Amino acid sequence: MRPLLLHLDHFGSFREPVTVDFSDTEYFALVGPTGAGKSTIIDAICFALYGTVPRWGREGAVAHALAPSVTAGKVAMVFDSDGRRYGVVRAMVRDAKGAVRTKEARLDELDPAAPLQEAFEAVVRPLAEGENVTAEAQQVTGLEYRFFTQCVVLPQGRFAEFLHAAPRERQDLLVQLLDADVYERIRQRAARDEETARQDASFARDQLAKLSGATAEAERELTERLAALRRLAGTMGADLDLLRARESDIRLAEQERAAVAERQTVLAELRMPAAVPTLASARRAAAESVETLAADVARLEADEHEAYEALTALGDRGAPRAALAALDARERLETEAARARAAAASAAEALDGAAGEQAAAEQALATAEEQRERLRDAHAAAHLVNRLEVGLPCPVCRHPVAELPRHEPPADVRAADRALAGARDRAQRARAACAKAETSASMHATQATRLESELAALPAPGDRAELEARLAAIAKADELAAQARDAVRAARAALERARSEADKVARQAESAWRALEAARDRLLVAGAQDDPPPPLVREDLHRAWTELLAWRDRAAQAARAALAEREERLDQARARLAADRGRLAERLAEHGVHAPRDASPDQLGAEVAAAVARADSALDRLKEERRRAADLENRITMKEHEAKVAHELALRLRANAFERWLCAEALAVLVASASDTLRELSDGQYELALADKTGDIEVIDYGEAGMRRSARTLSGGETFQAALALALALSGAVARRLDSIFLDEGFGTLDPATLDTVATTLERLAAGQERMIGVVTHVPALAERVPVRFEVTRDGKGSHVRKAGIR
Ligand SMILES: Nc1ncnc2c1ncn2[C@@H]1O[C@H](COP(=O)(O)OP(=O)(O)OP(=O)(O)O)[C@@H](O)[C@H]1O
Ligand SMILES: [Mg+2]
């Protein structure tokens, strides 16, 4: 790990952002007064990588990163490690309760070609964030925090940690520095490889055991068998042809036997239709029945004709019916006319009465009117009397009134008015009744006159009895004609049935003839050529059938004899085939080919061909197995060898023995190298050595006759010398990948001569240009000899850094 850029912002005593550039320096000093912030810069390197700082004590105590008055801060660093470039950033905040927490932490691999000032932006790949950053930083530096602070950063006041460390602790550090744990991993891997190789060998042996039959002897036997089978296949063609000929003989014999059997079936199936024996008599009876019924129909048709003639002679029913109806109408009209005459007479009579009543009413009215006029006059006269004066002219007669007449008071005129109104009303009603009676009398008289004239216009009436007798005679004749018609219909239906019966019998006969002909035709086809069925005699169906059945019985007997003879021939053909096939099967069996007893020639041929193919592929398989067996033997040898090598390796590395040996060797080299440096620094007084029993580092004091004592007994300055010698040896001789070392103080304990030696040693180390050396010192004599100085100062605004004094 070699820092290139370190950025601090509100970290520790630094209150303003500052970037320290280490990129162009191999050897530098951090100088400045007490409390200026020198150690804080070294802390920042540590904090950037591991998130903690040695002087805080407890790991992870991030609270100390920020000064109490600061709310947020940040540390970032660009560094190289093992040929790659990295950027690490940690930012902290203080929350409302005053607790400090990490706000952001990240570690990225950076592009080494990018300019340093832009390095943080040139991210090649992110490596870790948050809590994972410390573990990843450990991977990148190759050192745990506890070892980083022993051999990269030697913190102020704690530089002797490695010198005083327990042997076990030192061993752990060396294991990390030397990556010595790789040997344990190699051992474990070797043990696994041995196990795998043994399993492989065992598996291969199992496989080989399964191939025990794959021998050269087996291959020779199989090759011979294949050759024998091929010879058999080449020579069995003639045998198969013979078998095929035998099979053909059998097929022919089977066909012949089947033909005879077919003939037997045809003969056995021959049956005379059941109706044949009675068909002739049935036909005759049907013909007779038709004849009789036809005669009946003819006779009944004549009867029907006669009945219809008689009916026609009686004439139509219409005329007598119309005459009867006219008679009925006349009688109704006469009744009506009589009724009308009576009504007219009674109406005339009523009119006379009404006219009398009207005249009386009129008379009464005139009387009432007159009486009322008189009464009115009387009232007028009585009224006038009152105005008359004797001597004055009378207004009625114009004569002077002589004496005033005396008038009785007249009756009340209102009674006369009522009597007059009653008379008027009665006269009115009498007038209306008379007018109504007049209308009714006139109407009845007119109707009576009309009916009379209608009656007079009618033709002379017929004789009712005579008309009714005519209609009865027609009805009788009609009934007789209907009966005759029904009888004809019934006879015709019977005739129809008889004819259809006759047709049915005729069809049966026809069908029986056809059956006979068809049976005869089949017999002609299936029958023996030398004994055809008898010729057909067309006249008599029954006889024809009988003759054919008689012939059938003879032919059936001949067919039975023929069938026995064909079966014997077939048995002989089959026996010949079985004998020939048996002989061939024996030959095949001699070659290990077993065919079914009734195998066909093609099957036998196929069996032999299949046996050849099987033997062929078995031979191929065997050859393949022999090849595989050889491979397996080679594999077993190889795997056993591999297992042996892995076993040896694991044995050599067992129980960390090699790791311990390696670390012990490294420690011896380290102590020897440090011893040389210490001798130089102490001007020949001290050397270092390892205690045999405890493994502690001891000093050999040549001031005390080379006696050994514990390193813990050294003075402060001597301890620093010894620790520095060890740190330089670690950095230089043992772990070349530790490409930087930072020493914080301790130089103040050295006398000028020793300081000079230390300075020279550091300069020599820096001149090698393999590692960066940073020292923190108050000692001007040392500081002046360092080529690059970072002057750290502190004022009210916090710490500041300035690069100065480049020689
Ligand atoms: N977490 C912190 N917050 C605030 N101030 C701090 C913190 N840690 C240290 N300081 C102060 O910062 C100042 C610088 O400390 P630092 O240890 O860097 O000084 P120095 O330059 O190394 O001094 P010396 O020469 O005495 O070793 C000191 O005053 C110290 O008390
Ligand atoms: Mg300090």
Side-chain angles (χ1 to χ4, degrees), residues 546-587:
T546 312
E547 284 176 359
L548 186 65
L549 290 179
W551 171 84
R552 188 269 315 269
D553 293 343
R554 273 198 321 277
Q557 205 173 357
R560 273 195 295 279
L563 185 67
E565 192 247 338
R566 299 290 190 279
E567 275 179 348
E568 193 185 332
R569 255 194 255 169
L570 180 59
D571 288 347
Q572 285 166 358
R574 281 178 175 154
R576 279 195 293 275
L577 171 66
D580 291 340
R581 184 159 55 196
R583 272 192 295 281
L584 183 56
E586 271 171 31
R587 266 183 71 201

Side-chain angles (χ1 to χ4, degrees), residues 17 102 106 155 185 211 259 297 310 392 415 430 504 511 539 570 698 735:
T102 303
R106 54 181 304 108
R185 293 204 295 277
L211 300 176
V297 167
L392 287 178
K504 192 174 125 198
S511 153
E539 292 91 58
L570 180 59
E698 294 178 334

Side-chain angles (χ1 to χ4, degrees), residues 142-143 151 172-180 730 734-735 737-738:
L143 280 173
C151 53
D172 286 352
L173 169 63
L174 288 170
V175 167
Q176 259 187 33
L177 285 176
L178 300 170
D179 278 339
L730 252 184
V734 178
R737 55 191 267 195
L738 297 180

Side-chain angles (χ1 to χ4, degrees), residues 8 10 39 67 111-112 163 221 228 238 248 280 396 406 433 460 473 490 546 573 587 698-699 716 746 751 757:
L8 299 88
H10 287 87
S39 296
D111 180 5
L163 178 67
E221 275 177 13
S248 166
V396 177
R406 246 187 72 79
T546 312
R587 266 183 71 201
E698 294 178 334
V699 286
D751 60 41
T757 314

Side-chain angles (χ1 to χ4, degrees), residues 35 37-40 55 156 744-745 776 778:
K38 306 180 289 297
S39 296
T40 304
R55 70 165 118 167
Q156 191 169 12
D744 192 352
E745 290 292 3
V776 178
H778 279 114

Side-chain angles (χ1 to χ4, degrees), residues 30 32-43 46 53-57 148-150 152-161 720 742-749 774-779:
L30 292 164
T34 298
K38 306 180 289 297
S39 296
T40 304
I41 290 175
I42 303 296
D43 286 350
C46 222
V53 162
R55 70 165 118 167
W56 295 346
F148 186 79
T149 55
Q150 282 180 36
V152 176
V153 168
L154 270 59
Q156 191 169 12
R158 293 171 61 174
F159 47 76
E161 261 179 23
F720 179 70
F742 304 96
L743 306 166
D744 192 352
E745 290 292 3
F747 303 102
T749 54
V775 296
V776 178
T777 183
H778 279 114
V779 182

